Amino acid sequence: MTDPSPPPDAGEIMAVVHEAVGGIELEPAEKREIWRFTQRELPYLWSQRTSYFILGSYRDPYIRRLRAVQNELTKQLGAYPFIMGDLLELPTDRLNTFDIMLSLLATYSDYIVGVFEKESGGEAPELGEIDDPPYFDKSYVFPRDYAWVTDENLDSTQHVIQAALEIVFADDLSEEEVQSKVESLIERAQEKGLDIDEQEVWDVIDDRTNEDEEPATYSWVHLNKFRKFELHERCFPWTTEDELRTEVDELPSPTPRPEWEEREGQ
């Protein structure tokens, strides 16, 4: 196999790589593998299509939700949504290849989309990477069952559903107590002026109990990071896969160039 030659912007690429590996000296074979990866994968990100780098867990059933987001974005003309697990790997034994690949793909993608359903696994450090510069301005998060406020402040349907799921999956409540508490929760929300359909709440509860899917739980660190995105209007909670598919519409469309790109060019 012919050794790949450095691309025209090799200096910029290597600056990203050196940051990812902590500035250690790369071996010639390692550089060749990095050039092979960049020549294979980065041209898709440099094309006229708008790229969406989708982060999240690759384990089943979570990978199904990543595919759902990818499929929704694929429907849009000019979009290139991708998952790192589908790409060419860097076959190096010595280097922290995950950090290299994540840094390169995040740097050259137009947008980063994180789908979260739990606080453990590879998606936890990914969240820690994208909530600060240089990736924060291009990143959007979709946390399942996330709600910043407690059920004393029922500001949205998502908050009510989250509180209702916590009631349903409580270990020490009878079926009658669950029914009473959920109905009381919905009544309080409606009295506060929230336009919420009781049947909608019970439909979600039925779906989750049938699948035995308990509410997603997150650490205080996770919740604070989601809140940061929420304050910047780039956090979109969801409960069901259908809701997730709908929330994907909130992402920037493939047509306009991202704002972060324009700021970097100034």
Side-chain angles (χ1 to χ4, degrees):
M1 181 182 297
T2 304
D3 287 340
S5 57
D9 42 5
E12 180 181 308
I13 290 174
M14 288 311 298
V16 175
V17 173
H18 280 296
E19 178 72 19
V21 300
I24 65 172
E25 187 68 25
L26 300 181
E27 298 174 355
E30 294 168 342
K31 290 183 179 179
R32 288 195 295 271
E33 292 302 336
I34 290 172
W35 297 142
R36 184 169 288 112
F37 175 81
T38 57
Q39 288 183 356
R40 166 78 175 270
E41 305 299 349
L42 294 193
Y44 295 101
L45 310 186
W46 291 329
S47 70
Q48 293 301 308
R49 291 191 293 172
T50 300
S51 53
Y52 300 84
F53 182 14
I54 304 171
L55 305 177
S57 176
Y58 295 165
R59 288 183 291 173
D60 190 62
Y62 310 113
I63 184 63
R64 298 205 305 264
R65 261 75 83 173
L66 302 192
R67 295 299 184 198
V69 171
Q70 185 179 31
N71 291 339
E72 289 302 310
L73 287 169
T74 300
K75 296 175 183 179
Q76 301 189 49
L77 183 64
Y80 172 60
F82 69 95
I83 296 169
M84 185 164 68
D86 293 335
L87 307 185
L88 178 73
E89 292 189 17
L90 284 173
T92 62
D93 296 327
R94 186 176 74 106
L95 298 179
N96 48 322
T97 55
F98 170 82
D99 290 337
I100 296 172
M101 294 173 64
L102 178 69
S103 297
L104 286 171
L105 296 171
T107 296
Y108 292 104
S109 294
D110 293 316
Y111 300 106
I112 302 171
V113 182
V115 181
F116 301 95
E117 299 188 51
K118 53 189 176 65
E119 62 183 18
S120 61
E123 58 273 31
E126 289 173 348
L127 178 61
E129 291 286 339
I130 67 175
D131 80 314
D132 284 317
Y135 308 129
F136 178 70
D137 285 348
K138 63 168 74 175
S139 297
Y140 296 75
V141 296
F142 293 77
R144 189 175 198 180
D145 298 334
Y146 163 75
W148 174 253
V149 298
T150 67
D151 67 351
E152 296 298 321
N153 300 304
L154 303 173
D155 296 332
S156 72
T157 299
Q158 180 63 39
H159 295 143
V160 175
I161 290 175
Q162 170 65 10
L165 288 173
E166 291 176 357
I167 293 171
V168 170
F169 282 94
D171 293 332
D172 56 347
L173 295 179
S174 66
E175 186 174 335
E176 292 76 15
E177 289 173 324
V178 167
Q179 178 84 22
S180 175
K181 286 182 176 293
V182 171
E183 289 178 350
S184 176
L185 176 74
I186 296 171
E187 287 176 5
R188 294 204 313 273
Q190 291 172 337
E191 288 172 358
K192 291 183 61 176
L194 185 63
D195 183 16
I196 184 170
D197 181 5
E198 180 176 347
Q199 188 58 48
E200 178 184 357
V201 177
W202 285 111
D203 286 344
V204 173
I205 289 173
D206 289 342
D207 288 341
R208 295 292 285 271
T209 52
N210 289 338
E211 296 293 332
D212 196 25
E213 292 182 322
E214 296 189 15
T217 58
Y218 304 101
S219 70
W220 183 238
V221 174
H222 284 75
L223 294 175
N224 274 265
K225 292 182 182 297
F226 294 151
R227 179 58 173 169
K228 180 179 179 181
F229 282 97
E230 187 174 25
L231 291 172
H232 288 265
E233 299 182 342
R234 285 187 272 117
C235 175
F236 304 99
W238 56 281
T239 302
T240 66
E241 185 174 312
D242 286 341
E243 288 178 357
L244 175 61
R245 290 177 179 274
T246 300
E247 292 292 348
V248 171
D249 290 338
E250 298 297 327
L251 287 169
S253 70
T255 305
R257 300 307 301 165
E259 293 182 6
W260 67 265
E261 182 182 81
E262 296 174 1
R263 285 196 294 272
E264 287 191 353
Q266 294 176 354

